[in-house]
Coordinates of all heavy atoms in Angstrom, one line a residue:
Y19 N 0.8 -1.2 0.0 CA 0.1 0.0 -0.1 C 0.9 1.2 0.0 O 1.8 1.3 0.9 CB -0.9 0.0 1.2 CG -1.7 -1.2 1.5 CD1 -1.2 -2.3 2.1 CD2 -3.1 -1.2 1.0 CE1 -2.0 -3.5 2.2 CE2 -3.9 -2.3 1.2 CZ -3.3 -3.4 1.9 OH -4.1 -4.6 2.1
N20 N 0.6 2.1 -0.9 CA 1.3 3.4 -1.0 C 0.4 4.5 -0.3 O -0.7 4.9 -1.0 CB 1.6 3.8 -2.4 CG 2.5 5.1 -2.5 OD1 2.3 5.9 -1.7 ND2 3.1 5.2 -3.6
R21 N 0.7 4.9 0.9 CA -0.2 5.9 1.6 C -0.3 7.3 0.8 O -1.3 7.9 0.8 CB 0.3 6.1 3.0 CG 0.1 5.0 3.9 CD 0.3 5.5 5.4 NE 0.3 4.3 6.2 CZ -0.8 3.8 6.8 NH1 -2.0 4.3 6.5 NH2 -0.7 2.8 7.6
K22 N 0.8 7.6 0.1 CA 0.8 9.0 -0.6 C -0.1 8.9 -1.7 O -0.8 9.9 -2.0 CB 2.2 9.3 -1.0 CG 3.1 9.6 0.1 CD 4.6 10.0 -0.4 CE 5.4 10.4 0.8 NZ 6.7 10.8 0.3
T23 N -0.3 7.9 -2.5 CA -1.0 7.8 -3.7 C -2.4 7.1 -3.5 O -3.2 7.3 -4.3 CB -0.3 7.2 -4.9 OG1 -0.1 5.8 -4.5 CG2 1.0 7.8 -5.2
G24 N -2.4 6.3 -2.5 CA -3.7 5.5 -2.3 C -3.7 4.2 -3.0 O -4.6 3.5 -3.1
R25 N -2.6 4.0 -3.9 CA -2.6 2.8 -4.7 C -2.1 1.6 -4.0 O -1.3 1.7 -3.0 CB -1.6 3.1 -5.9 CG -2.2 4.1 -6.9 CD -1.3 4.5 -8.0 NE -1.0 3.2 -8.8 CZ 0.3 3.0 -9.4 NH1 1.2 3.9 -9.3 NH2 0.5 2.0 -10.1
S26 N -2.6 0.4 -4.3 CA -2.2 -0.8 -3.7 C -2.2 -2.0 -4.6 O -2.8 -1.9 -5.7 CB -3.0 -1.1 -2.5 OG -4.4 -1.3 -2.9
V27 N -1.5 -3.0 -4.3 CA -1.4 -4.2 -5.1 C -1.1 -5.4 -4.2 O -0.5 -5.3 -3.2 CB -0.3 -4.0 -6.2 CG1 1.1 -4.0 -5.6 CG2 -0.5 -5.2 -7.2
R28 N -1.7 -6.6 -4.6 CA -1.5 -7.8 -3.9 C -0.7 -8.7 -4.9 O -1.3 -9.0 -6.0 CB -2.8 -8.5 -3.4 CG -2.5 -9.7 -2.6 CD -3.9 -10.3 -2.0 NE -3.7 -11.4 -1.3 CZ -4.1 -12.6 -1.8 NH1 -4.9 -12.8 -2.9 NH2 -4.0 -13.8 -1.0
L29 N 0.4 -9.2 -4.5 CA 1.3 -10.0 -5.3 C 1.1 -11.5 -4.7 O 1.5 -11.7 -3.6 CB 2.7 -9.6 -5.3 CG 2.9 -8.2 -6.0 CD1 4.3 -7.8 -5.9 CD2 2.3 -8.0 -7.3
V30 N 0.7 -12.4 -5.5 CA 0.5 -13.8 -5.1 C 1.4 -14.7 -5.9 O 1.3 -14.7 -7.2 CB -1.0 -14.3 -5.2 CG1 -1.1 -15.7 -4.7 CG2 -1.9 -13.3 -4.5
L31 N 2.3 -15.4 -5.3 CA 3.2 -16.3 -6.0 C 2.5 -17.4 -6.8 O 1.6 -18.1 -6.3 CB 4.2 -16.9 -5.0 CG 5.3 -17.8 -5.6 CD1 6.3 -17.0 -6.4 CD2 6.1 -18.7 -4.5
R32 N 2.8 -17.5 -8.0 CA 2.2 -18.6 -8.9 C 2.8 -19.9 -8.5 O 4.1 -20.0 -8.2 CB 2.5 -18.3 -10.3 CG 1.7 -17.1 -10.8 CD 1.9 -16.9 -12.3 NE 1.2 -15.7 -12.7 CZ 1.8 -14.9 -13.6 NH1 2.9 -15.0 -14.1 NH2 1.1 -13.8 -13.9
P33 N 2.1 -21.0 -8.6 CA 2.7 -22.3 -8.4 C 3.7 -22.6 -9.4 O 3.7 -22.3 -10.6 CB 1.6 -23.3 -8.4 CG 0.3 -22.5 -8.6 CD 0.7 -21.1 -8.9
S34 N 4.9 -23.2 -8.9 CA 5.9 -23.6 -9.9 C 5.6 -24.8 -10.7 O 6.1 -25.1 -11.7 CB 7.2 -23.8 -9.1 OG 7.2 -25.0 -8.3
G35 N 4.7 -25.7 -10.1 CA 4.3 -26.9 -10.8 C 5.1 -28.1 -10.5 O 4.9 -29.2 -11.1
K36 N 6.1 -27.9 -9.7 CA 6.9 -29.0 -9.4 C 7.5 -28.9 -8.0 O 7.7 -27.8 -7.4 CB 8.0 -29.2 -10.4 CG 8.9 -28.0 -10.5 CD 10.0 -28.2 -11.6 CE 10.6 -26.9 -11.8 NZ 11.6 -26.9 -12.9
Q37 N 7.8 -30.1 -7.4 CA 8.5 -30.2 -6.0 C 10.0 -29.8 -6.3 O 10.5 -30.4 -7.3 CB 8.4 -31.4 -5.3 CG 7.0 -31.7 -4.9 CD 6.7 -30.9 -3.7 OE1 6.4 -29.6 -3.8 NE2 6.6 -31.5 -2.5
M38 N 10.6 -28.9 -5.5 CA 12.0 -28.7 -5.8 C 12.8 -28.8 -4.4 O 12.3 -28.6 -3.4 CB 12.2 -27.3 -6.3 CG 11.5 -26.9 -7.6 SD 11.7 -25.3 -8.2 CE 10.3 -24.5 -7.4
T39 N 14.1 -29.1 -4.6 CA 15.0 -29.0 -3.4 C 15.3 -27.5 -3.1 O 15.0 -26.6 -4.0 CB 16.3 -29.8 -3.7 OG1 17.1 -29.1 -4.8 CG2 16.1 -31.1 -4.2
R40 N 16.0 -27.3 -2.1 CA 16.3 -25.8 -1.7 C 17.2 -25.3 -2.9 O 17.0 -24.1 -3.3 CB 17.2 -25.8 -0.4 CG 16.2 -26.0 0.7 CD 17.0 -25.9 2.0 NE 17.6 -24.5 2.1 CZ 17.5 -23.7 3.1 NH1 16.7 -24.0 4.1 NH2 18.1 -22.5 3.1
E41 N 18.1 -26.0 -3.4 CA 19.0 -25.5 -4.4 C 18.2 -25.3 -5.7 O 18.4 -24.3 -6.4 CB 20.1 -26.6 -4.7 CG 21.1 -26.7 -3.5 CD 20.6 -27.6 -2.4 OE1 19.7 -28.4 -2.5 OE2 21.1 -27.4 -1.2
E42 N 17.3 -26.2 -6.0 CA 16.5 -26.1 -7.2 C 15.6 -24.8 -7.2 O 15.4 -24.1 -8.1 CB 15.7 -27.3 -7.6 CG 16.6 -28.5 -8.0 CD 15.7 -29.8 -8.0 OE1 14.7 -29.9 -7.2 OE2 16.1 -30.7 -8.8
S43 N 15.0 -24.6 -5.9 CA 14.1 -23.5 -5.7 C 14.8 -22.2 -5.9 O 14.4 -21.3 -6.5 CB 13.6 -23.6 -4.3 OG 12.9 -22.5 -3.9
F44 N 16.0 -22.1 -5.3 CA 16.8 -20.9 -5.4 C 17.2 -20.6 -6.9 O 16.9 -19.5 -7.3 CB 18.2 -21.1 -4.7 CG 19.0 -19.8 -4.7 CD1 18.7 -18.6 -4.2 CD2 20.3 -20.0 -5.4 CE1 19.5 -17.5 -4.4 CE2 21.1 -18.9 -5.6 CZ 20.7 -17.7 -5.0
A45 N 17.6 -21.6 -7.6 CA 18.0 -21.4 -9.0 C 16.8 -21.1 -9.9 O 16.7 -20.2 -10.7 CB 18.7 -22.7 -9.6

């Protein structure tokens, strides 16, 4: 939320579609 402009946005992570290890997730 930007209090100065009144604008806001909600960002929702899209599913990756696969299970990943920590290293795979980072990459």
Side-chain angles (χ1 to χ4, degrees):
Y19 304 82
N20 182 336
R21 287 191 189 278
K22 288 182 179 179
T23 66
R25 294 176 56 213
S26 64
V27 66
R28 181 171 178 252
L29 303 178
V30 181
L31 184 69
R32 292 183 183 136
S34 67
K36 58 184 173 182
Q37 291 288 77
M38 295 182 274
T39 65
R40 285 181 61 116
E41 294 78 20
E42 290 170 331
S43 169
F44 176 68

